[in-house]
Amino acid sequence: INDYLYKSVDGGLTWTELTASGQRAWTGATVSNDGLIISAVTNTTTKLYRSINGGTTFTETVISTSYSSYTDIASSTNGTVLVVTTLNNGAIFTSANGGSTWTKRITGAWEGVCCSATGAIMYAYARAGYIYFSTNSGVTWALSTAAGTRDWTSIACNQAGTVVLATTHNVDSTPGEIYISKNTGSSWTVLGGAGTRLWTACWVNETATKMYATDFGGYIYKSTDSGVTWNYAISGGQRPWSCIAGNPTTSTIIAAGINSYIYRYEDQAEINPGLGKWRIMHEVDPTVASWTYNLVANSGNLAIGSNLVNASFTLKYGKDEQITFSGGIKNIFNVAYFNHLSSLKNIGIQQ
């Protein structure tokens, strides 16, 4: 599907269509820490599309005339070091100058890639193949034999590049597992607490204490103890989840599914332990000043002020309202529009 790139500068609350990017079949995009440098690839052209002014204008640079089916891209946090992967008769290409010039590194049917904040450490995987890693910004690559050959579906590492997660599920839709390496790919362990599911994407924070993973057709799962135990976020709902990412310095997580909305999760455990909130982007009609919601507890005890259950609250357009809960909240609570039944949406609050 050809469409524009979209950009948010407020943690996903509002989005801007970057028409200068053109409508293309995007497969991957990265953004520098300052939000000015945007780099993206498609699966139909030979080019890197890059903006150095936050998406106002884009330039096009040919990565290689021999390859066009680009599958993923990763970059250093300053946008200087880039790595892209290609699938059909593919290869890995790296750039040390923001995409001005490219070097072909290693061939293979590559599907995904990630890198550390500096771009020094990189990981790439081939579907139904191995995971490879580099510790010199992609100049040379080594096979991580300890990971084995599997139907890998995603890969993510912390900013240091020392801890890496990789998800699997078989091409015949047989559930797979989540693997972790805490020593730059030298050894790998199955995160048994996550279970076997149709894992499609993952993300890990800098300290590798918090991890998220998406189950296609199921829920989003979260671990706060370095992957030992996992809990599913009912608030996100069961959807065809395909990608997830987070801000390593804040508590905001963004997730999306195929033909679905973009969802934002504010992990408020950073501020108020035990409280977290999901909401759909642009769920509130901007022509209406505010909406009234009805909150119904599915399980556990809920208290908002003196009200135990079935409490109401107001959510203003373009703003997340902080709501304080007490009473041993468990799982999730259904929230629906009070006065706009034709636009029912779900919002969630979980412990």
Side-chain angles (χ1 to χ4, degrees), residues 1 23 30 42 63 107 115 178 228 238 257 266 273 295 323 350:
I1 298 176
Q23 292 180 303
T30 66
T42 79
I63 300 173
T107 58
C115 71
I178 301 176
V228 177
Q238 291 179 294
E266 189 69 20
L295 190 67
I323 304 167
Q350 68 169 22

Side-chain angles (χ1 to χ4, degrees), residues 114-281:
C114 66
C115 71
S116 62
T118 63
I121 300 176
M122 299 177 174
Y123 301 90
Y125 71 88
R127 188 67 184 265
Y130 287 101
I131 291 175
Y132 282 70
F133 66 94
S134 172
T135 56
N136 54 13
S137 298
V139 175
T140 58
W141 291 79
L143 169 65
S144 180
T145 55
T149 175
R150 309 181 191 282
D151 288 322
W152 305 107
T153 55
S154 73
I155 196 163
C157 64
N158 65 344
Q159 285 198 301
T162 52
V163 178
V164 58
L165 294 182
T167 61
T168 69
H169 75 70
N170 296 340
V171 292
D172 62 357
S173 295
T174 301
E177 297 169 305
I178 301 176
Y179 290 77
I180 186 172
S181 173
K182 298 181 180 180
N183 50 18
T184 321
S186 296
S187 61
W188 293 79
T189 303
V190 175
L191 295 179
T196 57
R197 311 182 193 283
L198 297 179
W199 300 114
T200 53
C202 59
W203 181 81
V204 56
N205 72 345
E206 172 52 26
T207 59
T209 53
K210 290 186 178 181
M211 302 171 181
Y212 290 83
T214 57
D215 174 19
F216 186 83
Y219 295 106
I220 292 176
Y221 287 75
K222 171 186 176 182
S223 173
T224 57
D225 55 10
S226 300
V228 177
T229 60
W230 293 75
N231 294 303
Y232 58 92
I234 302 179
S235 50
Q238 291 179 294
R239 311 183 190 281
W241 301 110
S242 59
C243 59
I244 192 166
N247 188 320
T249 59
T250 70
S251 54
T252 301
I253 305 295
I254 298 292
I258 298 174
N259 296 324
S260 182
Y261 291 98
I262 295 175
Y263 288 74
R264 173 179 181 265
Y265 175 66
E266 189 69 20
D267 188 348
Q268 297 185 19
E270 305 285 347
I271 305 169
N272 184 4
L275 176 62
K277 181 166 59 177
W278 286 95
R279 82 181 187 94
I280 302 173
M281 298 300 93

